[in-house]
Amino acid sequence: MPIKEFLSEEKIQKRIKEIADQINKDFEGKELIVIVVLKGAFIFAADLIRQLNMPVHVDFLEVSSYGDSLETSGVIKVKRDVSLNINGENVLVIEDIIDTGLTIKKIKELLEIKDPSALKFAAFLNKPESRRVEIDVDYVGFDIPNYFVVGYGLDYAQNYRQLPYVAIYYEEEEK
Ligand code: XMP
Ligand code: MG
């Protein structure tokens, strides 16, 4: 397989507990609407929200920019919009990975129009080197170099999402 383990299951689960502790502190005594960005964030979100103490409502948003390629097309389309009313609510958007930042910037614009009282972002992975637009991420699992990664929800052409760890994906078999 053209993949190589990069972040172990154990390391991921330990980090998720730390992020959840932080979110539990920041939103103590409040309610949260969690918006899971499909498809890649579904496993991270499932693990993260099970560590949260406050009442949580869950919604989903699906956007696309990549198709089956390794590079962003730069054009972000909403494939499924949120269905809950987030006006006046505390919202936490959960993303799989932030690369250029274009997706999260677009999502921020789309959700701000709906006027939530707080709008925070959690990303499982972050690639600071490939950023093309300035954006603030409130909770980051791991900063990683500019590799294409799969597993733990992340795919290459829809494959590898079920891996419990994160792996680097190589376009050719590693010699
Ligand atoms: P941007 O560039 O808009 O990209 O910040 C965010 C979206 O791009 C996808 N993406 C990846 N998917 N492995 C993946 O499986 C990667 O290394 C990777 N880098 C970016 C992802 O869908 C994310 O939401
Ligand atoms: Mg993808």
Side-chain angles (χ1 to χ4, degrees):
M1 275 205 294
I3 63 167
K4 190 176 173 189
E5 183 170 316
F6 179 64
L7 296 170
S8 70
E9 182 173 4
E10 194 189 0
K11 205 170 168 189
I12 293 169
Q13 295 303 328
K14 183 167 169 273
R15 182 69 187 127
I16 285 173
K17 285 210 174 59
E18 292 170 359
I19 299 172
D21 286 348
Q22 190 61 53
I23 297 171
N24 283 329
K25 266 193 209 129
D26 294 351
F27 289 92
E28 203 184 333
K30 295 182 176 162
E31 293 181 5
L32 202 56
I33 292 184
V34 159
I35 298 179
V36 184
V37 183
L38 296 173
K39 298 177 185 170
F42 80 111
I43 292 181
F44 174 51
D47 282 347
L48 183 65
I49 67 170
R50 282 181 289 176
Q51 305 284 336
L52 298 180
N53 302 327
M54 73 292 285
V56 167
H57 291 184
V58 180
D59 206 347
F60 300 94
L61 176 68
E62 186 170 10
V63 294
S64 72
S65 74
Y66 273 60
D68 284 343
S69 120
L70 291 175
E71 295 243 319
T72 182
S73 66
V75 182
I76 288 99
K77 279 191 294 186
V78 176
K79 291 170 86 180
R80 182 206 190 273
D81 202 355
V82 292
S83 60
L84 295 176
N85 181 7
I86 64 166
N87 178 247
E89 304 288 344
N90 298 308
V91 173
L92 177 68
V93 178
I94 303 188
E95 252 286 28
D96 55 355
I97 184 165
I98 301 181
D99 191 24
T100 61
L102 291 166
T103 305
I104 209 92
K105 186 169 180 273
K106 178 77 178 183
I107 290 173
K108 192 168 186 224
E109 287 166 10
L110 286 166
L111 296 178
E112 268 172 349
I113 298 168
K114 300 177 195 270
D115 213 17
S117 90
L119 183 59
K120 304 277 185 191
F121 290 86
F124 173 53
L125 300 174
N126 180 37
K127 294 179 182 171
E129 289 164 19
S130 18
R131 198 70 91 249
R132 278 199 251 157
V133 287
E134 197 54 40
I135 44 128
D136 281 335
V137 191
D138 305 279
Y139 310 98
V140 172
F142 301 91
D143 282 336
I144 65 165
N146 197 10
Y147 300 131
F148 194 86
V149 289
V150 295
Y152 200 69
L154 292 141
D155 72 305
Y156 173 65
Q158 303 304 324
N159 291 311
Y160 308 108
R161 292 194 200 274
Q162 85 267 30
L163 300 176
Y165 55 87
V166 170
I168 298 170
Y169 178 84
Y170 298 95
E171 277 189 273
E172 281 167 24
E173 201 73 41
E174 223 200 344
K175 299 273 146 53

